[in-house]
Amino acid sequence: MNILILGGTAEARDLAERLVALGHAVTTSLAGRTQAPLLPPGAVRIGGFGGVAGLAAALRAGAVDWLVDATHPYAGQISLNAVAASRETGVPLLRILRPAWTPADGANWTHVETTSEAAACLPPGARVLLTTGHAGLEQFLERRDCQFVVRLIETPAMAIPAHARLLQSRPPYGLADEIALMDGERITHLVTKNSGGGQTAAKLDAAMRLGVKVIMIARPVYGPAIEVDSVDAAVTRLSEAG
């Protein structure tokens, strides 16, 4: 089959590797925002499609049999575009959505819907480990009554103010390192998105052990797709279809 993967995640790379090994023609599309991205096997395209119309045109031009959304759970517009382009072209859409994190007994989580709500519920004087990515960063850094450690993979477009420190690193993160970071920075609040998966889950265990309060931003809802929760399930579903 001819499969187009919307990628940028470890799941997308794993899926491409396994599908190529099975003999499928696989193209992985990357947004192009990450410098020196980890490239998957198969063909790779980098850059946006130009909205729903552009993605639909690419599906038709490439005679794509399956569109797979293996982007981050908070990828945003591209996941919405995938739903619309699938509907327009009739190309089936398979979405890999890793299971959401759930609080362990005794964990101190506050659930919010948006980044602005998360920023607003920080108390004055909070020392915050911020792991929400680039989107909405300015809403947090407007809180000059708080101190921030901003952890990102890529350098942000905006300047980091004096009440924040930029920490650039790439997951996975281990529990001992997360405890050392939070303890050393005297973190009182962890603000994160409910990405799920194991690569960044250690921060939640570290927060619980240290009594750090977690502000968890809910996942967006993207619309109808054939949804699976793992690469294994995706390979099975595509193999059944082929």
Side-chain angles (χ1 to χ4, degrees):
M1 291 188 296
N2 192 0
I3 300 169
L4 175 60
I5 299 174
L6 305 177
T9 61
E11 289 95 336
R13 293 189 296 274
D14 186 14
L15 179 63
E17 181 176 0
R18 293 176 62 174
L19 293 177
V20 167
L22 290 171
H24 298 294
V26 177
T27 299
T28 299
S29 176
L30 303 176
R33 290 188 291 269
T34 301
Q35 298 178 7
L38 301 175
L39 299 180
V44 176
R45 72 175 302 280
I46 296 179
F49 289 94
V52 175
L55 179 53
L59 294 175
R60 294 189 181 101
V64 172
D65 297 301
W66 278 87
L67 175 62
V68 181
D69 183 358
T71 59
H72 191 274
Y74 293 79
Q77 192 61 51
I78 186 60
S79 292
L80 294 171
N81 291 352
V83 173
S86 171
R87 184 185 301 117
E88 181 177 325
T89 61
V91 175
L93 172 63
L94 179 67
R95 180 186 297 131
I96 301 177
L97 190 62
R98 61 184 81 145
W101 292 318
T102 56
D105 291 343
N108 188 349
W109 289 19
T110 298
H111 296 272
V112 298
E113 296 296 321
T114 64
T115 55
S116 58
E117 187 180 350
C121 73
L122 287 170
R127 297 185 62 87
V128 184
L129 175 59
L130 187 62
T131 66
T132 55
H134 294 259
L137 181 57
E138 66 283 351
Q139 294 174 315
F140 292 102
L141 297 186
E142 287 173 355
R143 290 292 309 271
R144 296 187 176 275
D145 56 342
C146 299
Q147 296 289 318
F148 294 90
V149 175
V150 181
R151 186 162 69 189
L152 296 169
I153 296 175
E154 301 293 334
T155 304
M158 67 177 295
I160 298 298
H163 64 288
R165 180 173 79 84
L166 176 63
L167 176 61
Q168 284 187 253
S169 62
R170 185 187 294 271
Y173 304 111
L175 178 59
D177 289 336
E178 296 290 64
I179 290 174
L181 171 62
M182 293 185 194
D183 192 37
E185 296 286 347
R186 294 181 290 118
I187 297 298
T188 62
H189 291 74
L190 166 66
V191 182
T192 190
K193 294 176 176 177
N194 201 332
S195 303
Q199 287 203 325
T200 61
K203 62 189 173 187
L204 302 174
D205 293 333
M208 184 171 175
R209 293 190 185 202
L210 295 174
V212 171
K213 297 178 181 178
V214 176
I215 298 175
M216 184 67 71
I217 302 173
R219 291 179 172 185
V221 177
Y222 291 125
I226 300 167
E227 201 163 279
V228 295
D229 63 3
S230 67
V231 172
D232 285 344
V235 171
T236 299
R237 184 65 180 83
L238 293 169
S239 297
E240 291 172 348

